[in-house]
Amino acid sequence: MKLLLVLLFLQVTPGESYREVTGYIGENATLLSGADPNRTLSTINWLIYTNNTLIATLIKGTIKVDWFDRYKGRLSLNNSSGDLTIRNLTSKDAMQYNVDLTDTERHNSAHKIDLKVKRK
Ligand SMILES: *[C@@H]1O[C@H](CO)[C@@H](O)[C@H](O)[C@H]1NC(C)=O
Ligand SMILES: *[C@@H]1O[C@H](CO)[C@@H](O)[C@H](O)[C@H]1NC(C)=O
Ligand SMILES: *[C@@H]1O[C@H](CO)[C@@H](O)[C@H](O)[C@H]1NC(C)=O
Ligand SMILES: *[C@@H]1O[C@H](CO)[C@@H](O)[C@H](O)[C@H]1NC(C)=O
Ligand SMILES: *[C@@H]1O[C@H](CO)[C@@H](O)[C@H](O)[C@H]1NC(C)=O
Ligand SMILES: *[C@@H]1O[C@H](CO)[C@@H](O)[C@H](O)[C@H]1NC(C)=O
């Protein structure tokens, strides 16, 4: 009950820089990178926690999604859109995700995505 109240509170708190995504335990969720589709991405970094732990990257044409044990085998990164798919969601996946993007014209952007995980 306490947890539910906290979630409701967060949901009504305004936060313009956030994009929210809701997923369900055991299902998949795709976090949109927010990349401009007209630009070609050269580097993608998906990060979690305040210490910026890497979970998925595209660096020099190579996708790597096994940085962090808890997500092993559950992530896929789309190298053109920058979107991150998390499969078989657990309640622990609910948190803020940060994505840093660099395109081939050396333009940088960063976006935050708040993932909520619900029980169906
Ligand atoms: C999640 O993704 C996997 C692999 O792409 C797929 O086999 C599975 O059906 C998806 N699950 C749901 C609930 O969509
Ligand atoms: C992408 O390019 C097309 C055609 O040049 C333009 O119409 C569209 O607004 C652009 N999209 C973004 C997000 O900049
Ligand atoms: C970053 O923070 C997470 C959660 O607080 C922790 O589990 C992880 O070990 C930390 N990583 C490093 C490199 O300090
Ligand atoms: C993106 O990945 C696909 C296959 O997963 C590959 O064919 C393609 O060359 C990759 N594109 C870039 C720009 O790396
Ligand atoms: C990757 O993203 C592009 C652009 O959004 C989309 O057309 C393509 O189908 C995606 N690839 C996969 C494997 O989901
Ligand atoms: C999903 O994760 C649970 C544990 O969180 C595991 O027991 C189950 O086998 C996983 N399902 C798939 C399809 O990977």
Side-chain angles (χ1 to χ4, degrees):
M1 192 57 191
K2 231 176 217 169
L3 184 63
L4 185 66
L5 289 175
V6 170
L7 287 175
L8 288 175
F9 174 71
L10 287 176
Q11 239 153 10
V12 296
T13 305
E16 285 174 354
S17 62
Y18 293 90
R19 193 190 279 256
E20 278 191 14
V21 178
T22 300
Y24 295 93
I25 290 173
E27 297 195 348
N28 307 334
T30 296
L31 311 185
L32 301 179
S33 75
D36 180 343
N38 291 344
R39 292 175 180 269
T40 303
L41 295 172
S42 55
T43 303
I44 307 168
N45 289 315
W46 279 93
L47 311 138
I48 53 170
Y49 303 142
T50 48
N51 60 14
N52 289 330
T53 299
L54 283 173
I55 57 167
T57 54
L58 170 74
I59 299 168
K60 296 189 200 300
T62 303
I63 287 177
K64 189 165 154 55
V65 291
D66 61 355
W67 289 96
F68 201 57
D69 260 1
R70 216 163 59 63
Y71 291 97
K72 227 166 211 171
R74 296 197 296 132
L75 297 179
S76 37
L77 180 59
N78 183 316
N79 60 5
S80 70
S81 65
D83 299 345
L84 181 71
T85 299
I86 308 175
R87 287 182 295 273
N88 198 11
L89 288 173
T90 76
S91 54
K92 285 183 185 163
D93 296 336
M95 64 176 108
Q96 185 179 302
Y97 293 76
N98 298 300
V99 59
D100 290 339
L101 305 166
T102 305
D103 65 36
T104 48
E105 287 163 36
R106 292 167 186 268
H107 175 267
N108 297 307
S109 62
H111 306 271
K112 294 179 195 303
I113 295 94
D114 217 4
L115 176 63
K116 315 257 184 239
V117 179
K118 293 184 179 172
R119 198 174 287 278
K120 254 218 167 133

